[in-house]
Amino acid sequence: MENYENKVVIITGACGGIGEAIAEKFAAAGATLALCDLRQGELLQTVEKCQQAGATVYSDAIDVADEVLVRRFCGTVAETFGTIDCLINTVGIVDCPGDVEELSLSMWDKTVSVNLTSAFLMAKYSVPYIKRQGGAILNIASVSGLANQKEAMVYSVTKAGLLSLTRSEAIDLAQYGIRANAVSPGSVEAPLLAAAVDQAAQLFNRTKDEQWEVWRSQYPTQRFTSPQEIAELALFLCSERATNITGANFVIDGGLTALLPER
Ligand SMILES: NC(=O)c1ccc[n+]([C@@H]2O[C@H](COP(=O)([O-])OP(=O)(O)OC[C@H]3O[C@@H](n4cnc5c(N)ncnc54)[C@H](O)[C@@H]3O)[C@@H](O)[C@H]2O)c1
C-alpha cells in the first residue's frame, strides 16, 4: 500500500469527477493536499471530504490557465507546507466541438489554454520546489490524444499535446529525480462524460440513452472506467513503487483502443 505521509500533492480540477476521486484516494494514503479548481463551492465540498479522511488541505479557487494565479498558488503551497512533491493535472474541458472549418479561433485558444497551457504553467511554477527533493508529475490526458473522433479536433489536439509535454518533462527533469507520466482514460463515469454524451447525441441526432448505449457497447469490457480506477493508477504512478517509470502513457479504456472495427 502506498504511503504519502509528509508528501505534498497538488491536484488541479480537484472537484471534478476524476480530480475528486484522486484527491480522496491521496487523502486516505496520508498525503497533504493542495487543491484548486474554478468552482469555489464544489471545491470546498471536496476539501471537507479530504479533511474527513484525515488530510491537511490548502485550497484556492483559481483559473489554472492564468499565469499570475498559478505562480501565486504554487508559491503559497510551498510556503505553507515547506515544499511540493507531486503535481497532478486533471483540468480539462470537452465542450469544444467542430472541424477545422467550423471551429472558432476563440474556442481553439480557450481549449488549448485550459487543457494544455495550464499543465505547462502548473509544472513551470511547481518544478522549482519539486526539484529540491525529487517527485512526480502526472497529466490526465485521454485516448483522444491517441486517435481522433469526428468533429472533436481541438480536444484531441490538446490531449496529444499533453502526451508530448509529458515526454519532454520526463526527459528534462529526470536529472532532478522528477518523473512525469500520463494516464489516458477512455470514457469515465464522471460529469464530463455526461456533457460529451449530450454533445454527441445532438451531433448524431440520437436520444441521450441511445448515445450512452452506442458508446458503452463499443468497449470490449462493456463498461466505462470508474474515477476510482483512475485514482488507483495515479496513486501507484506517483509513489515510490514506480521510481523507474517515467515518460510513459498508461491507457485505461476497457480495451477500446485495442479494437479494430468489426469485419
Ligand atoms: N470523464 C471522461 O470520460 C474522461 C475521459 C478521458 C479523459 N478525461 C480527462 O480527465 C480529466 C478530468 O475529467 P473529469 O471527467 O473529471 O471532468 P470534470 O469536468 O468533472 O472535471 C474537470 C474539472 O476542471 C475544472 N476546471 C475547468 N476549467 C478550469 C480552469 N480553467 N481552471 C481551474 N479548474 C478548471 C472544472 O471546474 C472541473 O471541476 C480531463 O482532463 C478530461 O479531459 C475524462
Side-chain angles (χ1 to χ4, degrees), residues 16-18 37-39 62-64 90-91 141 155 159 185-186 188 192:
I18 293 173
D37 199 289
L38 266 185
R39 298 177 298 151
I62 61 162
D63 177 352
V64 290
T90 88
V91 163
Y155 182 72
K159 293 302 184 178
V188 178
L192 198 71

Side-chain angles (χ1 to χ4, degrees), residues 15 28 35 62 75 98 112 120 139 177 185 202 236 238 251 255:
C15 55
L35 308 180
I62 61 162
V112 170
F120 156 66
N139 293 317
Q202 273 183 15
F236 168 70
C238 294
V251 172

Side-chain angles (χ1 to χ4, degrees), residues 49-237:
K49 288 180 193 169
C50 294
Q51 285 170 335
Q52 276 164 11
T56 301
V57 187
Y58 168 79
S59 72
D60 198 0
I62 61 162
D63 177 352
V64 290
D66 183 322
E67 181 173 16
V68 173
L69 299 183
V70 168
R71 185 171 50 205
R72 190 193 66 194
F73 177 80
C74 294
T76 307
V77 172
E79 204 175 296
T80 307
F81 296 130
T83 192
I84 298 168
D85 295 282
C86 301
L87 165 65
I88 304 178
N89 290 303
T90 88
V91 163
I93 51 172
V94 73
D95 190 15
C96 44
D99 65 20
V100 72
E101 211 179 356
E102 294 157 359
L103 191 78
S104 66
L105 177 60
S106 62
M107 181 60 84
W108 169 278
D109 284 344
K110 181 178 182 200
T111 311
V112 170
S113 63
V114 174
N115 289 11
L116 182 56
T117 310
S118 68
F120 156 66
L121 290 175
M122 288 300 307
K124 180 174 177 60
Y125 291 109
S126 59
V127 161
Y129 305 105
I130 305 177
K131 77 200 275 193
R132 291 177 183 169
Q133 72 286 317
I137 297 172
L138 188 67
N139 293 317
I140 304 298
S142 167
V143 291
S144 296
L146 303 172
N148 297 27
Q149 284 175 313
K150 216 167 174 263
E151 298 188 27
M153 177 186 62
V154 69
Y155 182 72
S156 282
V157 167
T158 60
K159 293 302 184 178
L162 206 48
L163 295 178
S164 185
L165 173 71
T166 306
R167 289 191 294 270
S168 281
E169 288 172 343
I171 295 164
D172 294 336
L173 303 177
Q175 62 186 311
Y176 307 116
I178 301 178
R179 301 178 298 105
N181 291 294
V183 168
S184 288
S187 295
V188 178
E189 292 155 13
L192 198 71
L193 181 62
V197 165
D198 287 358
Q199 198 181 296
Q202 273 183 15
L203 188 67
F204 300 112
N205 209 12
R206 297 178 181 129
T207 66
K208 287 181 196 173
D209 285 348
E210 283 166 352
Q211 189 60 49
W212 275 107
E213 192 47 33
V214 166
W215 276 10
R216 195 190 55 75
S217 64
Q218 289 168 355
Y219 285 76
T221 56
Q222 295 290 300
R223 71 171 182 89
F224 301 134
T225 303
S226 73
Q228 288 71 28
E229 288 172 299
I230 308 288
E232 282 286 353
L233 189 52
L235 197 73
F236 168 70
L237 287 173

